[in-house]
Short mmCIF file of all heavy atoms in Angstrom, two decimals:
data_model
loop_
_atom_site.label_atom_id
_atom_site.label_comp_id
_atom_site.label_asym_id
_atom_site.label_seq_id
_atom_site.Cartn_x
_atom_site.Cartn_y
_atom_site.Cartn_z
N VAL A 1 -6.70 -5.84 1.92
CA VAL A 1 -6.64 -5.96 0.56
C VAL A 1 -5.23 -6.56 0.10
O VAL A 1 -5.08 -7.45 -0.76
CB VAL A 1 -6.97 -4.66 -0.20
CG1 VAL A 1 -6.62 -4.72 -1.72
CG2 VAL A 1 -8.41 -4.29 -0.02
N LEU A 2 -4.22 -5.98 0.64
CA LEU A 2 -2.86 -6.34 0.32
C LEU A 2 -2.57 -7.76 0.75
O LEU A 2 -1.98 -8.53 -0.01
CB LEU A 2 -1.74 -5.37 1.01
CG LEU A 2 -1.69 -4.00 0.40
CD1 LEU A 2 -0.89 -3.10 1.29
CD2 LEU A 2 -1.18 -4.09 -1.02
N LYS A 3 -2.96 -8.24 1.97
CA LYS A 3 -2.83 -9.60 2.43
C LYS A 3 -3.56 -10.56 1.45
O LYS A 3 -3.05 -11.62 1.18
CB LYS A 3 -3.34 -9.69 3.79
CG LYS A 3 -2.33 -9.25 4.91
CD LYS A 3 -2.88 -9.50 6.24
CE LYS A 3 -1.94 -8.96 7.36
NZ LYS A 3 -2.36 -9.22 8.65
N GLU A 4 -4.72 -10.25 0.93
CA GLU A 4 -5.48 -11.16 0.05
C GLU A 4 -4.82 -11.17 -1.37
O GLU A 4 -4.97 -12.26 -1.95
CB GLU A 4 -6.88 -10.52 -0.13
CG GLU A 4 -7.78 -10.59 1.06
CD GLU A 4 -9.01 -9.79 0.87
OE1 GLU A 4 -9.35 -9.32 -0.34
OE2 GLU A 4 -9.81 -9.62 1.82
N THR A 5 -4.16 -10.17 -1.78
CA THR A 5 -3.83 -10.05 -3.24
C THR A 5 -2.31 -9.97 -3.58
O THR A 5 -1.91 -10.17 -4.71
CB THR A 5 -4.50 -8.89 -3.92
OG1 THR A 5 -4.23 -7.74 -3.25
CG2 THR A 5 -6.06 -9.13 -3.92
N ILE A 6 -1.49 -9.64 -2.59
CA ILE A 6 -0.01 -9.33 -2.82
C ILE A 6 0.68 -10.62 -3.15
O ILE A 6 1.77 -10.52 -3.73
CB ILE A 6 0.50 -8.48 -1.70
CG1 ILE A 6 1.80 -7.72 -2.26
CG2 ILE A 6 0.94 -9.39 -0.53
CD1 ILE A 6 2.25 -6.72 -1.28
N ASP A 7 0.31 -11.81 -2.64
CA ASP A 7 1.09 -12.93 -2.65
C ASP A 7 1.36 -13.28 -4.25
O ASP A 7 0.44 -13.36 -5.04
CB ASP A 7 0.45 -14.08 -1.98
CG ASP A 7 1.29 -15.30 -1.81
OD1 ASP A 7 2.49 -15.08 -1.44
OD2 ASP A 7 0.86 -16.48 -1.93
N GLY A 8 2.62 -13.49 -4.59
CA GLY A 8 2.84 -13.82 -6.02
C GLY A 8 3.16 -12.75 -6.93
O GLY A 8 3.48 -12.94 -8.02
N MET A 9 2.75 -11.48 -6.44
CA MET A 9 2.84 -10.31 -7.38
C MET A 9 4.32 -9.92 -7.45
O MET A 9 5.05 -9.90 -6.54
CB MET A 9 2.06 -9.15 -6.80
CG MET A 9 0.55 -9.34 -6.82
SD MET A 9 -0.05 -9.41 -8.51
CE MET A 9 -0.85 -11.00 -8.49
N GLU A 10 4.66 -9.52 -8.70
CA GLU A 10 6.13 -9.08 -8.96
C GLU A 10 6.15 -7.52 -8.95
O GLU A 10 7.18 -7.01 -8.83
CB GLU A 10 6.57 -9.60 -10.27
CG GLU A 10 6.76 -11.17 -10.22
CD GLU A 10 7.14 -11.70 -11.56
OE1 GLU A 10 7.42 -10.95 -12.54
OE2 GLU A 10 7.20 -12.99 -11.58
N LYS A 11 4.94 -6.87 -9.14
CA LYS A 11 5.01 -5.46 -9.11
C LYS A 11 3.61 -5.05 -8.48
O LYS A 11 2.60 -5.50 -8.77
CB LYS A 11 5.04 -4.92 -10.54
CG LYS A 11 5.08 -3.35 -10.59
CD LYS A 11 5.49 -2.79 -12.01
CE LYS A 11 5.66 -1.31 -11.82
NZ LYS A 11 5.99 -0.73 -13.17
N LEU A 12 3.81 -4.05 -7.57
CA LEU A 12 2.72 -3.35 -6.93
C LEU A 12 2.71 -1.90 -7.31
O LEU A 12 3.72 -1.19 -6.91
CB LEU A 12 2.84 -3.50 -5.41
CG LEU A 12 1.70 -2.85 -4.56
CD1 LEU A 12 0.33 -3.20 -4.94
CD2 LEU A 12 2.04 -3.08 -3.09
N ASP A 13 1.75 -1.41 -7.98
CA ASP A 13 1.61 -0.07 -8.42
C ASP A 13 0.54 0.59 -7.57
O ASP A 13 -0.59 0.18 -7.55
CB ASP A 13 1.15 0.11 -9.89
CG ASP A 13 2.38 0.19 -10.83
OD1 ASP A 13 3.46 0.55 -10.42
OD2 ASP A 13 2.19 -0.33 -12.01
N LEU A 14 0.83 1.67 -6.90
CA LEU A 14 -0.07 2.39 -6.10
C LEU A 14 -0.37 3.87 -6.62
O LEU A 14 0.65 4.57 -6.83
CB LEU A 14 0.42 2.53 -4.56
CG LEU A 14 0.65 1.28 -3.81
CD1 LEU A 14 1.25 1.45 -2.49
CD2 LEU A 14 -0.64 0.44 -3.68
N ASP A 15 -1.59 4.02 -6.88
CA ASP A 15 -1.89 5.36 -7.47
C ASP A 15 -2.51 6.23 -6.40
O ASP A 15 -3.55 5.96 -5.86
CB ASP A 15 -2.94 5.17 -8.70
CG ASP A 15 -3.26 6.50 -9.34
OD1 ASP A 15 -3.01 7.61 -8.79
OD2 ASP A 15 -4.04 6.42 -10.34
N PHE A 16 -1.91 7.29 -6.07
CA PHE A 16 -2.26 8.12 -5.03
C PHE A 16 -2.89 9.35 -5.51
O PHE A 16 -3.02 10.40 -4.77
CB PHE A 16 -1.02 8.57 -4.11
CG PHE A 16 -0.65 7.54 -3.08
CD1 PHE A 16 -1.06 6.22 -3.19
CD2 PHE A 16 0.19 7.93 -2.02
CE1 PHE A 16 -0.73 5.22 -2.20
CE2 PHE A 16 0.59 6.93 -1.04
CZ PHE A 16 0.09 5.60 -1.18
N SER A 17 -3.39 9.46 -6.73
CA SER A 17 -3.99 10.69 -7.27
C SER A 17 -5.22 11.23 -6.60
O SER A 17 -5.37 12.39 -6.52
CB SER A 17 -4.24 10.54 -8.80
OG SER A 17 -5.19 9.46 -9.00
N GLY A 18 -5.91 10.22 -5.85
CA GLY A 18 -7.07 10.71 -5.17
C GLY A 18 -6.83 10.68 -3.61
O GLY A 18 -7.80 10.88 -2.90
N LEU A 19 -5.67 10.43 -3.17
CA LEU A 19 -5.47 10.31 -1.77
C LEU A 19 -5.13 11.81 -1.27
O LEU A 19 -4.35 12.45 -1.70
CB LEU A 19 -4.08 9.45 -1.47
CG LEU A 19 -4.03 8.89 -0.19
CD1 LEU A 19 -5.16 7.97 0.35
CD2 LEU A 19 -2.65 8.25 0.15
N GLU A 20 -5.94 12.03 -0.15
CA GLU A 20 -6.03 13.39 0.32
C GLU A 20 -5.12 13.46 1.64
O GLU A 20 -4.53 14.53 1.97
CB GLU A 20 -7.33 13.82 0.76
CG GLU A 20 -8.32 13.83 -0.44
CD GLU A 20 -9.77 13.85 0.02
OE1 GLU A 20 -10.07 13.99 1.34
OE2 GLU A 20 -10.63 13.73 -0.79
N TYR A 21 -5.02 12.36 2.42
CA TYR A 21 -4.33 12.46 3.70
C TYR A 21 -3.63 11.18 3.99
O TYR A 21 -4.22 10.06 3.60
CB TYR A 21 -5.41 12.69 4.76
CG TYR A 21 -4.94 12.65 6.18
CD1 TYR A 21 -4.17 13.82 6.68
CD2 TYR A 21 -5.10 11.58 7.04
CE1 TYR A 21 -3.79 13.77 8.02
CE2 TYR A 21 -4.61 11.55 8.28
CZ TYR A 21 -3.99 12.64 8.84
OH TYR A 21 -3.50 12.63 10.15
N LEU A 22 -2.55 11.15 4.70
CA LEU A 22 -1.82 9.93 5.03
C LEU A 22 -1.34 10.06 6.53
O LEU A 22 -0.67 10.97 6.83
CB LEU A 22 -0.68 9.70 4.07
CG LEU A 22 0.27 8.53 4.29
CD1 LEU A 22 -0.46 7.17 4.18
CD2 LEU A 22 1.47 8.67 3.39
N SER A 23 -1.75 9.10 7.34
CA SER A 23 -1.33 9.18 8.69
C SER A 23 -0.24 8.13 9.00
O SER A 23 0.12 7.36 8.12
CB SER A 23 -2.52 8.85 9.66
OG SER A 23 -2.77 7.44 9.67
N SER A 24 0.25 8.05 10.22
CA SER A 24 1.29 7.09 10.63
C SER A 24 0.75 5.71 10.37
O SER A 24 1.58 4.80 10.10
CB SER A 24 1.77 7.34 11.98
OG SER A 24 0.73 7.23 12.90
N ALA A 25 -0.51 5.46 10.59
CA ALA A 25 -1.07 3.99 10.44
C ALA A 25 -0.91 3.68 8.93
O ALA A 25 -0.61 2.54 8.63
CB ALA A 25 -2.54 4.04 10.85
N GLY A 26 -1.13 4.64 8.09
CA GLY A 26 -1.01 4.35 6.68
C GLY A 26 0.42 4.20 6.26
O GLY A 26 0.70 3.28 5.44
N LEU A 27 1.36 4.87 6.83
CA LEU A 27 2.78 4.72 6.68
C LEU A 27 3.19 3.29 6.96
O LEU A 27 3.95 2.65 6.36
CB LEU A 27 3.60 5.74 7.43
CG LEU A 27 3.57 7.19 6.85
CD1 LEU A 27 4.25 8.13 7.89
CD2 LEU A 27 4.16 7.27 5.50
N ARG A 28 2.67 2.81 8.18
CA ARG A 28 2.96 1.48 8.68
C ARG A 28 2.60 0.37 7.57
O ARG A 28 3.35 -0.56 7.34
CB ARG A 28 2.27 1.20 9.98
CG ARG A 28 2.64 -0.17 10.57
CD ARG A 28 1.83 -0.49 11.78
NE ARG A 28 0.42 -0.36 11.59
CZ ARG A 28 -0.31 -1.34 11.01
NH1 ARG A 28 0.19 -2.38 10.45
NH2 ARG A 28 -1.69 -1.09 10.88
N VAL A 29 1.38 0.57 7.04
CA VAL A 29 0.93 -0.44 6.04
C VAL A 29 1.78 -0.33 4.68
O VAL A 29 2.21 -1.44 4.22
CB VAL A 29 -0.58 -0.14 5.61
CG1 VAL A 29 -0.99 -1.05 4.52
CG2 VAL A 29 -1.42 -0.40 6.90
N LEU A 30 2.18 0.84 4.36
CA LEU A 30 3.03 1.03 3.15
C LEU A 30 4.39 0.42 3.46
O LEU A 30 5.03 -0.20 2.49
CB LEU A 30 3.20 2.56 2.88
CG LEU A 30 1.99 3.18 2.23
CD1 LEU A 30 2.23 4.70 2.06
CD2 LEU A 30 1.40 2.54 1.05
N LEU A 31 5.00 0.55 4.66
CA LEU A 31 6.29 -0.05 4.99
C LEU A 31 6.16 -1.50 4.94
O LEU A 31 7.15 -2.17 4.36
CB LEU A 31 6.71 0.51 6.37
CG LEU A 31 8.07 0.03 6.81
CD1 LEU A 31 9.18 0.44 5.86
CD2 LEU A 31 8.41 0.51 8.18
N THR A 32 5.12 -2.11 5.40
CA THR A 32 4.98 -3.55 5.44
C THR A 32 4.90 -3.99 4.01
O THR A 32 5.52 -5.03 3.60
CB THR A 32 3.65 -3.96 6.27
OG1 THR A 32 3.82 -3.56 7.52
CG2 THR A 32 3.47 -5.43 6.22
N ALA A 33 4.12 -3.35 3.11
CA ALA A 33 4.07 -3.71 1.77
C ALA A 33 5.41 -3.56 1.04
O ALA A 33 5.76 -4.59 0.23
CB ALA A 33 2.93 -2.85 1.02
N GLN A 34 6.10 -2.55 1.43
CA GLN A 34 7.49 -2.45 0.77
C GLN A 34 8.39 -3.59 1.06
O GLN A 34 9.08 -4.04 0.28
CB GLN A 34 8.05 -1.06 1.18
CG GLN A 34 9.42 -0.76 0.58
CD GLN A 34 9.29 -0.58 -1.02
OE1 GLN A 34 8.68 0.35 -1.48
NE2 GLN A 34 9.88 -1.46 -1.79
#
C-alpha cells in the first residue's frame, strides 16, 4: 500500500487506534516509510 501511494506525499498520518500487535517485520516497514 505504501509503495503504491506514498510517492509525492508530503505527510503520512498513521492511525494505530485499532492496532493490537506490532512485530519486527512491522517495524521494518515503518522504518522504511520513515
